[in-house]
Amino acid sequence: MGYRQGHQGDIGQGRLRADFGKRVSLPQEQELKARCPDFATRREAMEKIGFIGLGRMGKSMALNLRKAGFDLLVLDINPQAAQELVAAGAIQARDVAELARACGIVITMLPSSKEVEAVVLGEDGVLAHARAGALIMDMSTIDPLATDRLHALATAQDLHWVDAPVGRLAEHADRGESLFMVGAGDAQFQRVKPLLEAMGTTIYHCGPVGSGGRTKLVNNFVAVSLCQINGEALALSQRFGLDITKTLQVLYGTSATNGQLRMNFPNKVLIGRTEPGFTIDLAHKDMSLVLAAAHASRVPMPVAAAVHESFSLARAAEFGGQDFSCIADALCQLAHIDPARVPEGWKPG
């Protein structure tokens, strides 16, 4: 689904407004009401929210919006992903076009720039069907230059853009304790702030559109690099034959400690839990974005390059779908040593 160049260039502003208004037709609204009779009466003054992308993080975020009472239309490439939300009172949209027509705010939470651009720019995408004045909040971690392009295209069609990628782990999203890095104009930030408050506990307005995603790349460079360093340290400790719990206690008690080692590793790789909160594949993708952005800005990042290639090795060894803390297991496998594991029931002091 490609972006139709004539959709922006051939239509004057007044006609564009009328075109969007025409798409939000009475029969379409009546169809939604028929599928969910209380759709129009629940919290009528509140903007209807569309949420696209119900993966490990997105589903929890959408559920927290619904718990807070927001009228919600949801959509995922896997229709089964929406069932828990439908049970909580959300409506499952048939497609992006239906969702965009019905909602004043559309949220995307997708794996990469490719998926975001397909959903937003496609012939049946958000830009082709959203009404004038609608706001798109992309919460994905994508190429900042893609954010800049999408923002420009949205603005040309009298739509607003916000980038608000997510910090912290999937478990935090489950509990409504996420952190958000927001790039937005002041008015748009105020418009989305109640939604962010429903999904998380910490909100940083980092600056104009594009600032959120760029801040996220800086954050993820540090987080993924620390994951790599922790993995190497644990592999070395295993080679030395050290007691893993004593080694961790020392690390926790010095300036070597870090949030990944204290919060994520003991609940994931160190107890043999490989199911992802954040996969090695996604960590590799984010490091690719970091390097691309650094190259474009002429900033040398030799550590990022080394970490990126280590995660490439882990993916080649079929660790890609595992939690990114499992880089420790990948390194142990590469060194032909047993993976580091703490005793059952052990907790950081």
Side-chain angles (χ1 to χ4, degrees), residues 153-201:
L153 291 168
T155 300
Q157 296 193 186
D158 200 18
L159 303 172
H160 303 289
W161 192 274
V162 170
D163 61 307
V166 186
R168 299 180 179 156
L169 305 171
E171 290 80 2
H172 293 96
D174 295 341
R175 300 191 297 266
E177 298 173 356
S178 292
L179 177 151
F180 303 108
M181 296 152 265
V182 186
D186 291 340
Q188 284 68 51
F189 176 70
Q190 293 302 321
R191 187 172 169 186
V192 300
K193 189 176 178 183
L195 283 70
L196 299 173
E197 289 172 340
M199 295 185 284
T201 55

Side-chain angles (χ1 to χ4, degrees), residues 136-138 147 161-165 181-184 208-214:
I136 303 162
M137 180 163 65
D138 180 37
T147 296
W161 192 274
V162 170
D163 61 307
M181 296 152 265
V182 186
V209 174
S211 301
R214 288 174 168 88

Side-chain angles (χ1 to χ4, degrees), residues 14 26 86 89 104 144 153 241 251 256 289 294 299 318:
L26 181 61
V86 171
L153 291 168
L251 294 174
L289 293 175
V299 176
E318 300 186 353

Side-chain angles (χ1 to χ4, degrees), residues 5-324:
Q5 294 292 338
H7 193 53
Q8 177 185 347
D10 297 347
I11 303 175
Q13 193 66 34
R15 184 178 165 193
L16 183 61
R17 288 176 181 270
D19 191 42
F20 279 128
K22 187 167 60 179
R23 287 190 174 106
V24 190
S25 65
L26 181 61
Q28 290 158 350
E29 185 75 7
Q30 289 174 336
E31 182 185 356
L32 285 172
K33 290 177 183 177
R35 287 160 56 193
C36 183
D38 65 342
F39 182 73
T41 58
R42 288 180 302 171
R43 300 174 68 98
E44 185 62 36
M46 185 179 290
E47 286 190 282
K48 294 177 178 63
I49 310 301
F51 201 112
I52 302 172
L54 305 174
R56 177 63 184 89
M57 296 279 280
K59 181 188 289 188
S60 294
M61 292 161 60
L63 280 168
N64 285 322
L65 285 175
R66 187 67 202 108
K67 289 173 186 174
F70 287 95
D71 280 327
L72 204 61
L73 269 73
V74 297
L75 184 66
D76 192 89
I77 193 170
N78 172 19
Q80 296 304 313
Q83 294 310 302
E84 189 174 352
L85 279 146
V86 171
I91 299 172
Q92 185 172 7
R94 287 198 178 94
D95 51 33
V96 174
E98 179 184 67
L99 183 146
R101 285 191 293 262
C103 297
I105 297 177
V106 176
I107 297 171
T108 53
M109 183 64 177
L110 298 164
S112 71
S113 306
K114 177 182 177 181
E115 288 82 6
V116 174
E117 289 179 334
V119 163
V120 174
L121 302 180
E123 184 174 347
D124 294 319
V126 178
L127 292 193
H129 294 277
R131 55 196 180 212
L135 183 149
I136 303 162
M137 180 163 65
D138 180 37
M139 308 191 76
S140 321
T141 302
I142 67 171
D143 180 355
L145 296 179
T147 296
D148 295 344
R149 290 192 300 272
L150 292 166
H151 175 217
L153 291 168
T155 300
Q157 296 193 186
D158 200 18
L159 303 172
H160 303 289
W161 192 274
V162 170
D163 61 307
V166 186
R168 299 180 179 156
L169 305 171
E171 290 80 2
H172 293 96
D174 295 341
R175 300 191 297 266
E177 298 173 356
S178 292
L179 177 151
F180 303 108
M181 296 152 265
V182 186
D186 291 340
Q188 284 68 51
F189 176 70
Q190 293 302 321
R191 187 172 169 186
V192 300
K193 189 176 178 183
L195 283 70
L196 299 173
E197 289 172 340
M199 295 185 284
T201 55
T202 309
I203 304 165
Y204 293 106
H205 187 185
C206 299
V209 174
S211 301
R214 288 174 168 88
T215 303
K216 177 66 182 287
L217 291 189
V218 173
N219 178 84
N220 277 22
F221 162 62
V222 175
V224 176
S225 297
L226 285 173
C227 204
Q228 172 72 22
I229 290 169
N230 294 337
E232 292 182 23
L234 294 175
L236 184 62
S237 75
Q238 293 303 100
R239 177 67 83 197
F240 286 166
L242 300 177
D243 182 298
I244 185 64
T245 59
K246 289 184 171 60
T247 301
L248 288 170
Q249 287 168 350
V250 169
L251 294 174
Y252 293 156
T254 72
S255 60
T257 193
N258 59 79
Q260 285 295 326
L261 191 62
R262 178 174 281 277
M263 292 190 299
N264 195 32
F265 275 59
N267 296 311
K268 288 291 186 179
V269 67
L270 288 174
I271 59 173
R273 283 184 61 200
T274 64
E275 67 271 19
F278 182 65
T279 65
I280 282 175
D281 280 339
L282 287 175
H284 181 269
K285 181 265 293 186
D286 284 1
M287 292 305 286
S288 299
L289 293 175
V290 167
L291 286 170
H295 291 161
S297 303
R298 299 186 179 182
V299 176
M301 298 190 74
V303 172
V307 172
H308 180 266
E309 288 311 298
S310 181
F311 275 72
S312 293
L313 288 171
R315 297 175 77 217
E318 300 186 353
F319 283 86
Q322 297 185 19
D323 187 81
F324 76 138

